[in-house]
Amino acid sequence: PSCGTNFLPVMVPDRGLEVKELPQQPLDLFHHFVPYFLVAKWVKYTNEWVDHLLRSRSWKPRARIRSWKPTTVPEVYLWLALLIHIGIHKEITIRDHWKTSRLGHQGSDHSILKVMTFDRFQLLHRYLRLFNPFSLAKEAAKAGLAKVFAAVDERSRHLQYASTEFLKPG
């Protein structure tokens, strides 16, 4: 009743689906959706966050985080590539991707052994930040979003923009 009784639907004209030409190289398409400038922000947020954690807490002597070295844009791209590889080549556990063959046990000997250690992969997996952890609450309040949505807002907006570069829905 508070909205009234007269409903007029919005008339949206028909238009066909428009699919634009994709880049020739798959890597160019990947970079369109995961651009350098965005990954550079993630690297900055991650390094600042881990630095803050290391300064503000006392960690057990064997804590993996104590071996942290600042990450870089190429390393984060490599980490993303490993996530894709792990998604395609299934193993029982994630650690199994780093196991090698030995006498009496024939393993799969994934090539990821050569590009990143399991400990480094786990460190990035745990501490990688796609948002500024120090200003999340303020940004969420400013945008009128819950923290969880504010944390992915920039990435979500970019994905929406990048998608419309190749497809205009009908």
Side-chain angles (χ1 to χ4, degrees):
S2 65
C3 295
T5 58
N6 189 10
F7 174 74
L8 296 172
V10 175
M11 299 307 291
V12 179
D14 275 346
R15 70 171 189 237
L17 172 73
E18 183 184 341
V19 179
K20 297 180 181 176
E21 190 170 330
L22 296 176
Q24 294 297 316
Q25 299 298 319
L27 188 57
D28 293 336
L29 181 63
F30 179 80
H31 279 285
H32 185 75
F33 285 94
V34 188
Y36 186 93
F37 80 88
L38 208 52
V39 176
K41 285 183 176 184
W42 301 347
V43 166
K44 180 180 179 285
Y45 299 152
T46 301
N47 287 332
E48 288 174 353
W49 177 244
V50 174
D51 184 52
H52 167 75
L53 291 176
L54 287 169
R55 284 186 281 111
S56 65
R57 297 185 186 163
S58 60
W59 296 92
K60 293 179 183 175
R62 294 184 51 125
R64 192 178 274 144
I65 194 172
R66 292 173 61 94
S67 67
W68 178 263
K69 302 283 186 275
T71 190
T72 62
V73 172
E75 185 179 46
V76 171
Y77 274 125
L78 182 61
W79 180 81
L80 288 169
L82 293 178
L83 280 181
I84 293 168
H85 174 86
I86 288 168
I88 293 169
H89 301 280
K90 302 291 184 192
E91 293 288 345
I92 295 171
T93 68
I94 290 178
R95 184 181 282 280
D96 289 345
H97 289 275
W98 278 266
K99 287 186 177 175
T100 59
S101 296
R102 61 185 186 281
L103 190 60
H105 176 266
Q106 179 61 40
S108 57
D109 288 340
H110 291 280
S111 59
I112 64 175
L113 289 165
K114 299 172 188 161
V115 294
M116 186 178 288
T117 65
F118 177 72
D119 282 349
R120 185 60 177 179
F121 178 85
Q122 288 293 89
L123 275 170
L124 287 170
H125 188 72
R126 180 170 183 145
Y127 296 107
L128 188 70
R129 293 294 178 260
L130 309 185
F131 57 90
N132 187 341
F134 303 107
S135 65
L136 182 61
K138 185 171 68 173
E139 289 174 23
K142 186 172 81 175
L145 297 170
K147 279 187 190 179
V148 69
F149 296 119
V152 296
D153 187 48
E154 182 180 32
R155 178 80 182 120
S156 174
R157 280 186 280 116
H158 177 76
L159 285 175
Q160 290 173 47
Y161 167 77
S163 298
T164 60
E165 291 283 297
F166 299 119
L167 175 76
K168 289 198 176 184

